[in-house]
Structure formats: C-alpha cells, structure tokens
Amino acid sequence: MEHVIVNSNIDTVEKKVVDFIHGKGFKVFDNIDQKAEADNVGLEIPETRLIIFGNPKVGTLLMQENDDVTFELPIKVLLIAKNDQTELIYRDPHDFPGNDQLKEQGKKIIEKMHHMYQEMMEAAK
C-alpha cells in the first residue's frame, strides 16, 4: 500500500480527489463514509472515506486478461483524517495480483493507472 499525507482537511482533499477523478473521465461508483458506518454501530474511528472509482472501458480490458486483477477493480483510494492533515492510501497497480501475467496491453494500462495515482496525489495537495 502507498501512503501519502496531505496538509489539508479531509473535506478539502475529498473534493480535490473527486474533481480529479471526474476530470479524468472516471466514474465514482461509491464514496463510503466509514466513520458514519462505525458511528451507526456505536464504534469510533477518525473521519474515513473510501472512494471507489474506475473506467469500465479500461477496467474490463484488464478483467479480460486476468481474473486475479479483476479482484482489485474498480480501483479505490482511502482518505483518513489525521488532525489537520489527511492520509491517502491506495494500492499501486504494479502490486495487483496477476499483474505479472498480463499481456502488453494490460501492462500499458497498469502503467497508466500507476501514473494516474501519482497525478491524483499531486492534485490532492
């Protein structure tokens, strides 16, 4: 897992991340407020949001190549409030199971996803 700390509150970072996702033409499938879910069962965690997103045109190409990669899709980013900062956590696509068994097209997609995450981290700052 990759961890990046941003010197902004979680609401600001969440907006930047979602705007980035939409700007890249990706679809946000869900944005889960995990703190709210914890609160609903009487437990406490910091503000925590899991944003699940992707591009079905691209993700499906990976799914056609390897079922192990399919488990990682759609892709996601986790935001956790840390005082006045926000920690972003994601899995580098190079670390997806089955990545080493992809054909040339799949490897190119993984590389583009890797760069997209790096751009997202910069946009979140």
Side-chain angles (χ1 to χ4, degrees), residues 27-115:
K27 177 180 180 179
V28 174
F29 294 107
D30 206 350
N31 188 341
I32 303 168
D33 183 338
Q34 293 181 317
K35 178 176 178 25
E37 296 301 324
D39 289 347
N40 286 339
V41 295
L43 298 172
E44 290 186 29
I45 60 172
E47 287 290 338
T48 304
R49 300 172 193 157
L50 179 65
I51 303 170
I52 303 169
F53 66 100
N55 180 333
K57 280 187 174 181
V58 176
T60 302
L61 295 173
L62 287 174
M63 292 176 185
Q64 291 172 335
E65 286 197 29
N66 188 298
D67 291 337
D68 290 342
V69 174
T70 301
F71 185 78
E72 297 295 330
L73 303 174
I75 55 181
K76 53 202 82 47
V77 62
L78 182 67
L79 310 178
I80 303 174
K82 304 278 182 168
N83 299 316
D84 291 334
Q85 298 177 317
T86 303
E87 182 174 17
L88 292 89
I89 303 172
Y90 66 96
R91 182 187 303 266
D92 187 322
H94 289 131
D95 296 333
F96 286 1
N99 180 44
D100 58 339
Q101 298 167 13
L102 294 173
K103 298 175 188 163
E104 178 131 355
Q105 174 181 268
K107 289 179 190 268
K108 286 180 182 177
I109 292 169
I110 292 292
E111 191 63 26
K112 286 181 180 180
M113 289 169 69
H114 169 79
H115 289 295

